[in-house]
Amino acid sequence: MLTKNQIYTAEIVDYTAEGQGVAKIEGCAVFVPNAIAGEICEIRIEKAQKTWAAGKIVKILEKSPHRINRACPVAKLCGGCDFHHMDYEEESRLKMERVRSCLNRMAGENLDSIPMHPAPETTCYRNKAQYPVSVHKNRAFAGFFRAGTHQVIENDRCPILPPEADRVKELILDWMNQYRITVYDETTHRGLIRHIYVRRGAVSGQVLVCLVANGRKLNRVPELIQRLKTVPGFATLVLGVNTRPGNAILGDEFLTLYGAGWIEDTLCGLTFRLSPRSFYQINHDQTERLYNAAITAAGITKNDTVLDLYCGVGTITLAMSRAAGKVIGVEVIPQAVEDAKDNARRNGIENAEFLCADAGAAALELEKQGVKADVVVVDPPRKGLNADAIEAIARFAPRRLVYVSCDPATLARDVALLKEKGFALQNAQAFDLFPRCAHVETVVLLSKGEVDSKKIRVEFSLEDMDMSEFQDGATYPQIKEYVLEHTGLKVSNLYISQIKRKCGIEVGKNYNLPKSEDSRQPQCPPEKEKAIREAFKYFGMI
Ligand code: SAH
C-alpha cells in the first residue's frame, strides 16, 4: 500500500472514465486529476487504499506536448468540464481509446481503432445550462458546482455555453438581488430559487427560461419578464416547481409565466417542440452527425417496422420514419411522449406511434402481441439496457440493432449480453458531443445471423476505412482544400491515400486499394503528388 502524503515520481499511463490521469506505482493504480498521458510527474498521495490511490500533481517533470493553458478562468475549480488542460487532439484520442478499450475488454472485441468524429466546434456548443444558485453576503450568484461538492463556483462567461445563457443568468441574478428574491438553502430547505435553467434552440435561436423554485409563488414577475425580453430570442418563461429536498433539479410541476412554455428547434430537417423536461441532445451539429450515422447503420427500407426504445421526444424515431414503413417509439416520461406525438403531427408524419412505458416492459409486450420489429434502435440513459429490454430484443431478432450509447462501459456490458443472445458487433463509431467534458457517445451496429452479418461486415469492415484520419492532424477534406487553394488542383481521396502510403503514413489496411489483383486504379499524376506532399508538409504529417 502506498503511503499517504508521500511524494512519488511516476509516468501517467492511462485515463479513468472521468478523464483523470492514471499512474501505476508499486502495482497500485493512482488517479491523478489534471494529468496527461505520457507526463512524468511528482505525485503526492492524498488517499491510499490497497489496490488504488488518489494523488495530486506536485510538479510536472516532463510535460506533455498536449498540455495547454486553460481558456476558462475557473476551469480548475469548476466541476463542469474535465479537459481544459489538454488540447483537443489528445481529448479526442482518449475518448476514442475509451470506447475501443471498453469494447475490447468487456465485450470481447478485438478492435485496433474506431472511427472517431471529433466536434468541429469546441466552444459555445451546449444548448442547455442548469445553473445552481447560491448566496454570499446577501448577494445571489450562480455558476456550476465544484466537482464532488455543492459549492457553487461563480463564472461570468462559460466558454462552452452560448452567450445568451450567461446573459439570462446575469439578468435573473440582478433581478433577484434588486427585489430580494430569496435563494434556496438545501440544509434548511428554506428560500426560493434553486436553479436557473436555460435552453436555446441552436437553429431557431429561441430561448426558454425555467426558474426552478421551492414554491409556487413568485413575486415581481413582470419586472423579470421585462428584463428577459432584452435577451435575443427569449420566447418563454416557466416556473419549475420543485419543493422536494434532494439533488433532482426539476420537479414535476411547470407553470408557464410567459410565452408558450416550450420552444422549437430544427434537427435532421424536422421541427421539434421542447419543454423544460424533454430530453434533447445538447450539441446540435454533432447530434445530427450521430443520428445520421445511426440512420445509415439501421439500413431501413420502406417495408420495415422500426422500434425506437428510449425515444425521448422522438428525434431518432421521426428522423427514421421517412425511410421506414412504420416506426414505434417508447419513452417513460409522459411529457416527452406528448412532445413526441406533437412533433410527429407538426412534421406531418403519419407512420409514427409513441408509447409511454418502460422500454423493456413495452418491448416484451409488443413482442407478445405479435409485433415484428425489423430494426430496433436503442438510446438508453447511462445505466444502459435492463434485462427485459435485452430479452425482448433477443425475441424480436431484428435484422439490425442500432445501439446509441452515452456510456461506453454499459454499452460494452450490453454488447457482451447481446452477443450471448446471438448478436454480433458489426461496426462501432464514436462521436464527441461534449468537447472539454469526459462523456463520449457511440453508435454501434449489431446483427444476428450469418448471411446478414457477412453482408454488413463487407460494408463496414474497419480495414476499409482510413483510421489515421483524425490522428494525423489533417482530414481528407482539409488536404483537398489546401491543395485547391494553393495549386488550383482537385485531388481525390484515392490519390491522397496513395501518397499517404508512399510517405509511410498509416492508412487503413485496405482503404482505397483495388478490390482484386487485376483491377486497375488510376495513379496519382506527379503534379498532384507534389501538391499533396506540400499539404502533408504544411499539416506536419511528413
Ligand atoms: N433518443 C432520444 C432520447 C435519448 S435519452 C434522443 O436522442 O433525443 C434517453 C431517454 O430514455 C430519455 O428520454 C429518458 O427519459 C428515457 N428513459 C429512461 N429510462 C427509461 C425506461 N426505463 N424506459 C423508457 N425510456 C426511458
Side-chain angles (χ1 to χ4, degrees):
M1 201 155 118
L2 302 179
T3 314
K4 196 174 160 186
N5 287 327
Q6 189 161 322
I7 295 175
Y8 297 82
T9 298
E11 182 180 348
I12 306 300
V13 290
D14 203 352
Y15 295 100
T16 66
E18 293 77 32
Q20 293 191 3
V22 181
K24 285 270 159 66
I25 306 175
E26 295 170 15
C28 186
V30 183
F31 307 126
V32 191
N34 299 315
I36 303 177
E39 288 187 329
I40 314 255
C41 306
E42 284 181 359
I43 300 161
R44 175 183 288 116
I45 301 300
E46 306 222 302
K47 186 172 185 172
Q49 302 283 334
K50 248 198 189 136
T51 54
W52 65 273
K56 249 194 179 162
I57 296 180
V58 178
K59 196 173 174 193
I60 304 175
L61 303 176
E62 263 181 49
K63 237 188 208 173
S64 163
H66 297 292
R67 186 168 282 280
I68 56 170
N69 288 329
R70 292 175 173 84
C72 171
V74 298
K76 247 185 159 169
L77 295 175
C78 177
C81 294
D82 306 290
F83 295 131
H84 280 287
H85 59 293
M86 66 174 69
D87 62 18
Y88 191 51
E89 187 189 343
E90 175 67 356
E91 182 185 330
S92 306
R93 186 195 69 78
L94 81 85
K95 287 178 177 177
M96 185 281 280
E97 190 50 37
R98 170 151 165 74
V99 176
R100 187 185 80 91
S101 83
C102 281
L103 288 170
N104 285 357
R105 277 184 298 111
M106 297 159 69
E109 292 295 322
N110 191 19
L111 304 165
D112 290 336
S113 179
I114 284 175
M116 171 75 191
H117 303 268
E121 295 298 336
T122 58
T123 58
C124 305
Y125 66 82
R126 246 196 105 91
N127 56 31
K128 186 175 100 175
Q130 304 182 109
Y131 306 93
V133 182
S134 187
V135 64
H136 180 67
K137 293 193 176 154
N138 282 327
R139 187 185 73 91
F141 70 99
F144 295 106
F145 288 137
R146 188 181 191 136
T149 75
H150 274 197
Q151 181 195 347
V152 176
I153 303 296
E154 192 171 4
N155 188 358
D156 288 338
R157 182 70 198 103
C158 169
I160 64 171
L161 288 174
E164 290 84 354
D166 280 338
R167 183 73 190 131
V168 166
K169 179 191 69 170
E170 195 181 303
L171 289 171
I172 292 180
L173 291 170
D174 276 354
W175 166 81
M176 288 178 68
N177 286 324
Q178 181 172 348
Y179 297 112
R180 304 240 157 265
I181 310 284
T182 56
V183 174
Y184 175 70
D185 179 334
E186 58 185 15
T187 45
T188 60
H189 198 52
R190 284 161 81 172
L192 193 61
I193 305 300
R194 299 173 72 137
H195 272 83
I196 297 169
Y197 171 124
V198 189
R199 173 170 255 170
R200 180 176 180 275
V203 178
S204 71
Q206 294 176 8
V207 174
L208 175 153
V209 180
C210 176
L211 209 48
V212 185
N214 176 33
R216 277 172 197 79
K217 194 169 152 8
L218 193 64
N219 293 327
R220 303 285 183 172
V221 173
E223 287 85 349
L224 175 59
I225 292 169
Q226 199 185 7
R227 280 167 204 235
L228 291 174
K229 277 184 175 169
T230 64
V231 177
F234 169 66
T236 186
L237 172 66
V238 177
L239 180 68
V241 182
N242 183 4
T243 53
R244 278 186 301 228
N247 289 343
I249 296 177
L250 296 178
D252 295 324
E253 198 182 344
F254 297 90
L255 309 171
T256 303
L257 303 179
Y258 177 82
W262 43 265
I263 53 166
E264 282 188 343
D265 199 27
T266 309
L267 188 73
C268 296
L270 299 167
T271 312
F272 290 96
R273 184 179 96 169
L274 307 168
S275 326
R277 256 287 173 158
S278 26
F279 178 90
Y280 188 61
Q281 287 283 10
I282 54 93
N283 183 332
H284 178 273
D285 296 0
Q286 282 295 86
T287 300
E288 284 195 336
R289 292 184 187 104
L290 175 85
Y291 289 174
N292 284 335
I295 293 168
T296 308
I300 304 165
T301 70
K302 269 286 168 204
N303 298 324
D304 287 341
T305 296
V306 179
L307 180 61
D308 179 16
L309 302 177
Y310 310 90
C311 71
V313 297
T315 38
I316 299 180
T317 336
L318 297 177
M320 288 186 170
S321 70
R322 292 175 285 197
K326 186 179 174 183
V327 289
I328 305 170
V330 183
E331 160 65 43
V332 78
I333 292 182
Q335 200 183 356
V337 175
E338 284 314 305
D339 285 348
K341 288 180 181 167
D342 185 79
N343 288 331
R345 268 193 301 275
R346 70 181 50 224
N347 289 290
I349 292 169
E350 287 173 353
N351 61 343
E353 204 181 292
F354 291 95
L355 307 174
C356 186
D358 168 70
L364 281 176
E365 186 54 35
L366 287 170
E367 200 271 335
K368 235 195 241 163
Q369 288 171 12
V371 172
K372 302 265 174 279
D374 304 287
V375 173
V376 174
V377 180
V378 296
D379 184 5
R382 304 202 69 185
K383 62 176 188 258
L385 302 178
N386 63 20
D388 281 354
I390 302 241
E391 181 55 34
I393 292 165
R395 288 194 203 163
F396 275 121
R399 188 176 72 245
R400 292 190 186 194
L401 167 62
V402 178
Y403 192 140
V404 180
S405 158
C406 54
D407 186 332
T410 54
L411 167 72
R413 177 202 66 198
D414 292 344
V415 167
L417 293 169
L418 288 159
K419 282 168 93 169
E420 282 175 18
K421 301 274 185 195
F423 285 88
L425 182 86
Q426 308 296 349
N427 171 252
Q429 301 182 59
F431 290 82
D432 188 15
L433 270 63
F434 311 98
R436 302 298 170 231
C437 306
H439 298 298
V440 57
E441 294 271 328
T442 314
V443 176
V444 306
L445 170 65
L446 296 121
S447 74
K448 226 174 172 177
E450 255 319 286
V451 181
D452 200 19
S453 81
K454 261 190 203 143
K455 203 171 87 208
I456 300 163
R457 234 178 243 290
V458 175
E459 273 170 41
F460 283 101
S461 169
L462 293 179
E463 293 186 340
D464 289 338
M465 299 186 184
D466 185 354
M467 307 304 175
S468 66
E469 270 242 358
F470 101 95
Q471 290 164 336
D472 278 337
T475 60
Y476 284 73
Q478 282 172 323
I479 293 166
K480 284 179 188 176
E481 199 179 301
Y482 182 92
V483 171
L484 188 66
E485 208 172 280
H486 288 81
T487 62
L489 294 170
K490 282 193 173 170
V491 292
S492 63
N493 281 5
L494 174 69
Y495 289 168
I496 296 172
S497 61
Q498 284 172 356
I499 309 309
K500 271 192 175 180
R501 283 205 174 84
K502 274 196 182 176
C503 296
I505 300 170
E506 206 204 321
V507 183
K509 212 166 133 205
N510 300 331
Y511 180 75
N512 268 342
L513 282 182
K515 295 289 174 232
S516 63
E517 294 272 317
D518 50 16
S519 66
R520 295 179 65 95
Q521 271 186 338
Q523 292 301 308
C524 183
E527 46 161 349
K528 291 194 174 180
E529 175 169 348
K530 187 163 170 266
I532 293 170
R533 281 178 185 268
E534 283 304 319
F536 287 174
K537 263 189 221 152
Y538 174 80
F539 288 113
M541 294 157 71
I542 52 173

